[in-house]
Amino acid sequence: MTPLIKGTPSGHTPPDEDPLINGVSAVSGAGGIDRTGVGAAARESRAAALDTWLTGLLPAGVDRIALVAVGGLGRRQCAPYGDLDLILLHDGVPGVDELAAALWYPIWDARLGLDHSVRTVPEALDVAGEDVKVALGLLDARHVAGDPELTRQLATAAAEQWRRTAVRRLPGLREITTARWAAHGELAFLLEGDLKESAGGLRDLGILRGIAAAGITDALRPAVRAAHLRLLDTRDALHAAVGRRVDRLVAQERAGVGTRLGLDDPDLLLRRVAQDARTVSHALDDAWRAADRLRGNSGRPSSGRSFPADGRARTADGRPVRRPVARDVVEQDGELVLARTAIGARPDPSLSLRVVAASATTRLPISRATCEWLAAYCPALPVPWPVEARSALVTLLGAGTGLIAAWETADRYGLVDAWFPEWPRMRSLPQHNAVHRYTLDRHLVQTAAEAGRYAREVDRPDLLLLGALLHDVGKGLPGADPDVPADHSTVGAPIAGAVAARMGLPDAEVAMIERLVRLHLLLPDVATRRDLGDPVTISRVAEAVGDPATLDLLHGLVRADAKATGPAAWSDWKGRLIAELVRRVHTALDTGVLPDPPVPDPALVAGPLPAVHLTEGIVTVAAADRRGLLATVAGCLALHRLDVVAADAATIDDRALVEFRVQPRYGLAADPVALAADLRRAVTGDVSVTQRLRGRALAARSDDADPKVVWHRDAATDAVVLELRAADAAGLLYRVCAALDEAGAQVRAARIATLGSAVVDAFYLVGGWPDDAERARLEQAVLAAV
């Protein structure tokens, strides 16, 4: 609930953040609080210990005062490191502020979090009347100590006030809840969700309790209660594993939390949390709709159609108007239901797809009864699918954001499993990659939703949408090593092809779907790891893609995939690199001629030395040709906290040109004057700059992961490619370039691809293929630098 007073009063030193002393709270007189127990009994034990201790803090013999618990303590569901939510209730007795201070200070001194307020019963009800979150909190009010009659008055009046006002207050609560969901995401699909604040989490269960308390619907069915207990257990285990209050279940804590819950597989824990969150979210969806119907039915009918507060059309006698929205689908009371002729006729195998597609395009939910009917009576799709089913699937996938909610409803009732038998394996499957935000199933649906943005850029938008839905279908299967991204593409291609064939696509389109899945990582991998000015790079991509139509489909797919993955998977520079690669490959495919490499700026070729040009995202330096120039410039950029994403070097007569594409490491642009001055001093051998470079580089060494070197023999026209896979660190490019230079290798280009906390850096070494001894020597130099 929202407290009247929160935190510590002025002049009192707040306790340390860590609420533990040697693993046991400083609570006295209650034998300490069990901070490690998990489960209902442990939560009850913590509540009993706190009740006993708090009762002892209230002076004996006080009249007309009560100590009331709300929140977790009010429900006797105390988490190991949960806060206390307390109300000191009184009826105007003098000296209550002094008594409150005597209560709050021992709690702070015991290093317990506290939300508190001091109110009379009318004051508490007034605040609840203004703040819907306070109103919900008072529904959990429980007597702890003092005058029980005061607590009874508050609990009774608060419950009655809520029952009387809930229907009109729920829309405001829904707006608050929607904003919270937007900030915290959906627990069922997040790889690192907040057990309390995310959609489907513990906060939503409080709303369900409120809707049930208002008598609107039975929102706390047995499945919801079971999910609630498991989520509480998971939060208990998370608190115990971390040793403090934390509600976000991050990847590194899953194993410890799972062990405390008797689950040896961390992935199983995440899938269980996802299923429970889905149960809660579905129950809340049903509860909102029940409340909406109740609001609509409360309006008085008028002549003709009436539009109550919820905007739903009704006839003169108050019955909902039925409005056709698609074949066999009508809108009734704000939901989609089956037309009467569809229920009486022989069910069409494509009916479930058509209903869900109508929901996605109209943004209207499907009624629960209709979903249950479709799950029970809609026949299985034949092989191949009828044309109507394929058309409905394309409509569904192309509905943009409307796809997400409609697909989840279909998945809730088992309809998706009937369309795609492969789906249950992918449901709630974790993705072991730091850049991914969602579980596999949600990622696939999100990618399809994002792909609709690019439908007008391709010849076959239907194949783009289907390829987006199936592009990662190989993940989690044997042979798909999560550490080798291309593996799941190879494994998934024939599976995607089989799905497309089952749907009845022609052989050429089946082959296209397979190609999209197999090649969906090609463009980002090449754009970020290879020299786009090298003819070999362009010719190999053109050969793999085959034709402009496929190239356009892959370009749309890679952008949708990145946006559906998470913010770490995409950036402006990556988008520019991929667009440049697509442009060059298009030229090769359209004309049969490889595009010319970029031409250096004439001013740099013939102007005075050293020369430094700074433009947005690009740093170019011209200097007298000498060994180590690339490394020196890379180090200077690291000194100014600029991350390098690409580097190129060229020699014209006796001068060297180096060009770097950069981005600020911490989002703040470097000072151009200071950067240019340091670059000029560095390339002319100023010792003061090189000393700063070496000091910064040595300090930036990282041993977070074992580095690995991979060689590519035929990936360039006039060079071999040494690929380094290592943990990311500032100054890494400088250290590696310096090591290669000292080993006698000439680096003409470098490409840096960051994957979460790791990098894949490709270095183009001028010359032919080195023998075994030379490769070993260069590898040793690089690994020593890392």
Side-chain angles (χ1 to χ4, degrees):
M1 63 174 291
T2 301
L4 184 63
I5 309 170
K6 194 167 184 176
T8 58
S10 176
H12 182 73
T13 302
D16 297 337
E17 291 297 326
D18 185 357
L20 281 185
I21 300 177
N22 297 325
V24 179
S25 168
V27 174
S28 60
I33 299 176
D34 175 16
R35 302 290 192 179
T36 60
V38 174
R43 292 188 288 273
E44 179 74 24
S45 174
R46 285 189 285 269
L50 286 166
D51 281 359
T52 301
W53 180 65
L54 291 170
T55 300
L57 295 180
L58 195 67
V62 295
D63 295 324
R64 299 150 55 197
I65 289 178
L67 185 61
V68 181
V70 293
L73 181 58
R75 297 186 298 273
R76 305 186 73 87
Q77 293 173 344
C78 296
Y81 292 93
D83 288 348
L84 299 183
D85 297 309
L86 299 173
I87 304 172
L88 187 61
L89 203 60
H90 65 99
D91 65 355
V93 63
V96 68
D97 290 336
E98 291 78 5
L99 177 60
L103 276 171
W104 309 148
Y105 281 116
I107 297 173
W108 288 318
D109 291 339
R111 301 183 179 183
L112 296 173
L114 174 64
D115 288 350
H116 59 89
S117 58
V118 180
R119 292 174 181 144
T120 64
V121 171
E123 288 171 346
L125 294 175
D126 285 346
V127 175
E130 297 173 357
D131 190 328
V132 68
K133 292 186 289 185
V134 174
L136 281 177
L138 289 182
L139 297 178
D140 296 325
R142 182 177 63 82
H143 182 72
V144 174
D147 185 352
E149 178 59 22
L150 274 179
T151 305
R152 187 196 65 77
Q153 291 176 17
L154 175 64
T156 301
E160 174 56 31
Q161 182 185 59
W162 176 251
R163 283 192 294 270
R164 190 175 63 253
T165 63
V167 171
R168 64 176 174 81
R169 301 185 70 182
L170 284 177
L173 177 61
R174 193 170 189 173
E175 290 183 7
I176 296 171
T177 302
T178 301
R180 170 169 55 82
W181 291 346
H184 295 278
E186 298 173 81
L187 182 58
F189 306 110
L190 293 174
L191 296 175
E192 296 188 337
D194 190 304
L195 296 171
K196 184 175 183 179
E197 302 293 348
S198 294
L202 294 170
R203 185 76 73 186
D204 284 354
L205 281 151
I207 299 174
L208 285 171
R209 286 195 304 274
I211 293 175
I216 294 172
T217 184
D218 181 15
L220 298 175
R221 295 185 293 272
V224 177
R225 294 177 186 272
H228 185 196
L229 290 176
R230 284 191 293 269
L231 288 173
L232 287 171
D233 290 350
T234 303
R235 186 175 67 170
D236 286 355
L238 179 59
H239 282 204
V242 177
R244 59 185 173 86
R245 178 182 174 179
V246 59
D247 295 324
R248 185 171 296 280
L249 182 58
V250 297
Q252 59 264 33
E253 301 299 342
R254 276 188 223 140
V257 172
T259 298
R260 284 171 168 81
L261 295 173
L263 302 173
D264 295 332
D265 184 357
D267 287 358
L268 184 59
L269 167 65
L270 193 63
R271 297 185 90 150
R272 194 179 84 170
V273 168
Q275 186 59 42
D276 289 336
R278 272 184 154 136
T279 298
V280 174
S281 291
H282 296 160
L284 188 52
D285 285 345
D286 289 344
W288 288 132
R289 283 148 67 180
D292 288 345
R293 285 193 296 271
L294 189 60
R295 290 179 63 241
N297 290 336
S298 65
R300 289 186 177 183
S302 58
S303 60
R305 284 187 175 187
S306 67
F307 292 87
D310 61 357
R312 292 174 177 153
R314 298 183 182 278
T315 60
D317 58 0
R319 292 180 300 171
V321 171
R322 292 170 63 90
R323 178 176 66 90
V325 297
R327 176 187 162 199
D328 297 326
V329 186
V330 299
E331 175 193 354
Q332 175 181 294
D333 212 10
E335 297 178 331
L336 296 187
V337 300
L338 291 175
R340 295 185 180 93
T341 53
I343 297 175
R346 182 177 179 181
D348 177 356
S350 66
L351 181 60
S352 63
L353 272 164
R354 291 192 283 107
V355 173
V356 178
S359 174
T361 54
T362 62
R363 307 294 200 273
L364 290 172
I366 309 170
S367 76
R368 181 178 176 180
T370 297
C371 290
E372 291 173 344
W373 190 94
L374 290 171
Y377 298 110
C378 193
L381 285 163
V383 178
W385 287 14
V387 174
E388 293 84 356
R390 293 198 301 273
S391 176
L393 178 64
V394 172
T395 300
L396 171 61
L397 296 179
T401 56
L403 164 65
I404 306 297
W407 189 279
E408 173 61 12
T409 297
D411 199 19
R412 172 185 180 182
Y413 290 94
L415 303 181
V416 177
D417 293 4
W419 307 335
F420 301 109
E422 300 83 0
W423 197 255
R425 180 189 64 80
M426 297 183 286
R427 184 180 293 114
S428 303
L429 184 68
Q431 302 200 73
H432 301 282
N433 189 307
V435 300
H436 273 281
R437 183 182 184 191
Y438 296 120
T439 54
L440 178 58
D441 55 339
R442 176 56 180 272
H443 172 68
L444 294 175
V445 178
Q446 190 75 39
T447 303
E450 298 287 351
R453 300 171 183 263
Y454 311 108
R456 296 182 181 181
E457 300 179 14
V458 299
D459 292 338
R460 291 296 303 271
D462 55 335
L463 297 183
L464 172 62
L465 295 169
L466 185 57
L469 180 69
L470 300 175
H471 74 282
D472 278 347
V473 73
K475 283 188 174 178
L477 290 173
D481 186 346
D483 295 327
V484 182
D487 277 6
H488 78 268
S489 304
T490 304
V491 171
I495 299 173
V499 172
R502 192 168 68 236
M503 291 173 55
L505 269 63
D507 291 345
E509 295 178 9
V510 170
M512 176 66 81
I513 291 297
E514 288 195 32
R515 192 183 315 157
L516 290 178
V517 173
R518 188 174 62 254
L519 299 179
H520 77 271
L521 296 176
L522 175 67
L523 296 183
D525 283 354
V526 171
T528 57
R529 301 182 188 182
R530 295 293 178 262
D531 180 6
L532 303 189
D534 192 319
V536 170
T537 301
I538 304 305
S539 62
R540 288 201 168 181
V541 174
E543 182 182 356
V545 171
D547 58 78
T550 303
L551 179 63
D552 290 336
L553 286 170
L554 287 171
H555 192 202
L557 177 54
V558 69
R559 286 176 286 172
D561 187 14
K563 291 181 183 296
T565 296
W570 192 252
S571 62
D572 290 341
W573 69 264
K574 189 172 185 178
R576 289 193 297 269
L577 288 176
I578 293 173
E580 176 66 11
L581 172 62
V582 169
R583 186 186 68 80
R584 288 174 170 271
V585 174
H586 250 302
T587 299
L589 290 172
D590 292 338
T591 67
V593 178
L594 293 173
D596 294 328
V599 177
D601 186 342
L604 293 173
V605 174
L609 298 179
V612 176
H613 283 192
L614 305 179
T615 58
E616 185 177 359
I618 299 177
V619 175
T620 309
V621 177
D625 189 19
R626 66 176 179 85
R627 287 182 54 185
L629 183 63
L630 191 71
T632 299
V633 176
C636 195
L637 296 174
L639 192 65
H640 287 263
R641 296 180 172 84
L642 291 172
D643 285 338
V644 177
V645 298
D648 291 287
T651 302
I652 300 177
D653 297 330
D654 59 348
R655 67 176 56 205
L657 302 178
V658 292
E659 180 180 276
F660 291 77
R661 297 188 182 221
V662 299
Q663 60 183 4
R665 175 169 282 265
Y666 302 115
L668 299 175
D671 180 351
V673 175
L675 174 60
D678 273 353
L679 284 169
R680 290 189 182 95
R681 289 198 296 269
V683 299
T684 55
D686 189 310
V687 176
S688 64
V689 178
T690 56
Q691 286 177 340
R692 289 164 57 202
L693 298 182
R694 293 185 180 276
R696 174 66 63 86
L698 289 173
R701 291 182 184 272
S702 172
D703 59 356
D704 292 340
D706 293 333
K708 181 180 181 180
V709 169
V710 178
W711 292 87
H712 299 274
R713 184 169 192 164
D714 300 317
T717 303
D718 58 351
V720 295
V721 176
L722 181 154
E723 191 174 85
L724 170 66
R725 301 170 184 175
D728 191 17
L732 179 63
L733 178 61
Y734 164 64
R735 297 201 304 275
V736 175
C737 284
L740 288 170
D741 179 65
E742 292 174 4
Q746 181 182 352
V747 180
R748 75 157 174 80
R751 293 294 180 271
I752 288 77
T754 303
L755 307 172
S757 61
V759 294
V760 179
D761 293 352
F763 298 89
Y764 283 69
L765 308 183
V766 176
W769 182 250
D771 58 27
D772 292 347
E774 180 67 3
R775 291 202 308 275
R777 189 177 68 84
L778 293 175
E779 284 186 28
Q780 184 178 6
V782 169
L783 295 176
V786 176

